[in-house]
Amino acid sequence: MKNDSHQFRNSFAEIYTIIGSSKTLPKNVPNLRTCRFCGKNENDVAFKKIAHACPELLGQNNFVIYDECDLCNEKFSKYESHLSKFFLPYLSVVGVKGKKKIPNFQARKDNDDEKTRTSVKYTDDGKINLFLSSLDDYKVDIENKTMSIRFRNPAIKPIYVYKSLLKIALSFLPKIKIRKYQLLFDWLQNDNTEIVFFSTLFITKLTRKKFGKPSVQLYEANKIFTDKGFHPELTLVVNFANIVAQIYLPLSASFDYPKSNGKSPTLELYPAFHYNMDSEKYENVEPDTPITVNYKFESIDLHSEVNSIRDEVINFTFESGDFNIEKNSSDFL
Ligand SMILES: [Zn+2]
């Protein structure tokens, strides 16, 4: 089940309180390690792998949890590979260093045509090599040093992207809240669990800032019902590369469904645009300069369980480059 109808307002800070972040993660290994996802303890399952609350594909981090078993870790890596493909153009172009290195991007081929394949590769000395096979896929403005590239993303299952984000959220959920939100853990493990969820992913693409390392904030509503609507109990905000991503988590088993009858969900959006406003580059900007043009907002539906393809168009500026337009490829610094 999912719910598509929603309305937008912005009083995020009034409704939501932060309950999870890198600061709230337990720092010590417990005496008996028990998996928060499957409930098994170290007598039954192994805890040999280092489990990250926020996957390192979104950028190197030390957000480690001690209550994710190796079996669950392996299971969730299936979802994470879809999350990785979904955001790869950004991680690659912005240059987010993952576990080992900045990921290379290779596009899907359309109609088995090699010419539709764009790729981004990093050389050992940190230069970007962009291979743009199709002239339709990019526009270069050499004078203004701007470039627009269409990335033909490989096929992914949108629901796995959602579940991967849900897994991040549940990793940051304080232990005392696990029982209340047990249904969300059940659904993460088992596709057949009945749940109500809001499948929209909200993305703000910052143009004036990138995050050196990812950060995660999990928020809980301190007030659910209003006259006309209701607020989903939990929402997750993840910052990485030049992206602020937000989802609403599925409703818990204790959600008051009778009371929500006739009301529609009110999705409070995290005010991500403030990152652009806070940017140092704006220190000398006139107060009345419009800043709204400096970020791009997008919402993407992630409910589908079938493989889907999606193109991502990224606009960026560059310092210098050598262009070999005739060869249909370009290498630049
Ligand atoms: Zn487990």
Side-chain angles (χ1 to χ4, degrees):
M1 243 196 307
K2 67 182 197 77
N3 201 324
D4 267 329
S5 63
H6 54 251
Q7 56 188 69
F8 297 115
R9 279 174 58 229
N10 210 327
S11 38
F12 188 86
E14 285 167 38
I15 309 296
Y16 286 99
T17 307
I18 192 162
I19 58 163
S21 73
S22 61
K23 292 188 188 100
T24 66
L25 289 178
K27 302 221 166 12
N28 302 316
V29 186
N31 289 334
L32 179 71
R33 288 173 76 165
T34 306
C35 179
R36 64 166 52 210
F37 299 99
C38 67
K40 290 178 179 153
N41 67 39
E42 59 189 325
N43 296 321
D44 303 315
V45 285
F47 287 83
K48 291 199 180 82
K49 290 179 181 166
I50 296 172
H52 280 87
C54 175
E56 287 206 287
L57 65 98
L58 298 181
Q60 283 178 337
N61 68 81
N62 54 3
F63 310 152
V64 172
I65 48 172
Y66 302 105
D67 52 1
E68 179 180 338
C69 77
D70 293 357
L71 283 177
C72 287
N73 186 281
E74 210 162 288
K75 187 170 183 173
F76 301 142
S77 68
K78 175 180 78 176
Y79 300 147
E80 280 170 16
S81 70
H82 289 252
L83 182 74
S84 166
K85 283 177 196 156
F86 186 80
F87 284 120
L88 202 49
Y90 289 95
L91 298 168
S92 196
V93 168
V94 175
V96 174
K97 215 169 180 190
K99 207 173 208 164
K100 295 192 188 85
K101 57 184 180 76
I102 298 168
N104 294 326
F105 173 85
Q106 191 170 42
R108 69 171 191 273
K109 275 193 291 187
D110 279 346
N111 307 319
D112 213 25
D113 180 359
E114 198 60 46
K115 282 190 179 138
T116 60
R117 237 197 227 291
T118 292
S119 74
V120 179
K121 287 200 178 77
Y122 280 81
T123 61
D124 290 339
D125 53 354
K127 286 181 189 172
I128 302 178
N129 282 332
L130 263 173
F131 298 94
L132 303 157
S133 304
S134 166
L135 285 172
D136 299 337
D137 277 0
Y138 72 107
K139 286 189 204 104
V140 186
D141 181 341
I142 292 173
E143 199 176 320
N144 294 309
K145 296 189 171 175
T146 59
M147 192 168 203
S148 162
I149 300 180
R150 173 181 299 279
F151 289 87
R152 297 167 194 260
N153 275 358
I156 50 120
K157 279 191 170 64
I159 192 74
Y160 284 180
V161 174
Y162 184 90
K163 283 203 166 184
S164 190
L165 291 167
L166 173 63
K167 192 263 160 183
I168 296 173
L170 296 183
S171 300
F172 282 88
L173 188 71
K175 215 170 177 182
I176 50 158
K177 302 262 185 193
I178 292 180
R179 189 192 282 261
K180 180 179 177 189
Y181 294 105
Q182 184 58 46
L183 183 65
L184 283 60
F185 287 86
D186 295 347
W187 182 64
L188 183 65
Q189 297 276 12
N190 183 354
D191 294 343
N192 298 321
T193 304
E194 270 284 307
I195 208 155
V196 173
F197 79 107
F198 312 91
S199 56
T200 310
L201 166 67
F202 299 96
I203 291 180
T204 306
K205 299 167 190 174
L206 305 175
T207 53
R208 302 277 165 167
K209 181 182 170 75
K210 73 172 182 179
F211 299 100
K213 90 178 188 178
S215 75
V216 177
Q217 297 114 50
L218 179 65
Y219 294 89
E220 189 177 45
N222 46 46
K223 179 184 166 203
I224 304 286
F225 291 99
T226 57
D227 290 347
K228 289 180 186 154
F230 65 89
H231 302 289
E233 297 146 302
L234 296 173
T235 181
L236 169 79
V237 178
V238 186
N239 305 333
F240 61 94
N242 64 330
I243 301 274
V244 179
Q246 183 184 5
I247 59 161
Y248 292 87
L249 270 55
L251 298 175
S252 74
S254 61
F255 182 77
D256 192 344
Y257 283 98
K259 199 173 173 183
S260 73
N261 231 330
K263 295 179 189 277
S264 53
T266 309
L267 304 183
E268 296 287 344
L269 294 182
Y270 179 78
F273 53 84
H274 79 82
Y275 287 114
N276 268 341
M277 293 163 72
D278 288 349
S279 166
E280 286 167 26
K281 291 193 174 181
Y282 282 97
E283 269 181 8
N284 300 319
V285 165
E286 296 297 321
D288 59 348
T289 304
I291 46 90
T292 46
V293 293
N294 293 319
Y295 69 96
K296 286 205 170 80
F297 179 77
E298 201 180 335
S299 62
I300 300 158
D301 186 66
L302 295 178
H303 86 274
S304 175
E305 290 172 26
V306 296
N307 271 319
S308 4
I309 52 169
R310 203 174 143 265
D311 289 353
E312 190 82 59
V313 177
I314 302 187
N315 301 296
F316 53 96
T317 56
F318 56 89
E319 290 304 315
S320 64
D322 302 317
F323 291 91
N324 302 304
I325 307 284
E326 276 148 281
K327 280 191 287 175
N328 291 347
S329 74
S330 73
D331 307 334
F332 66 89
L333 294 173

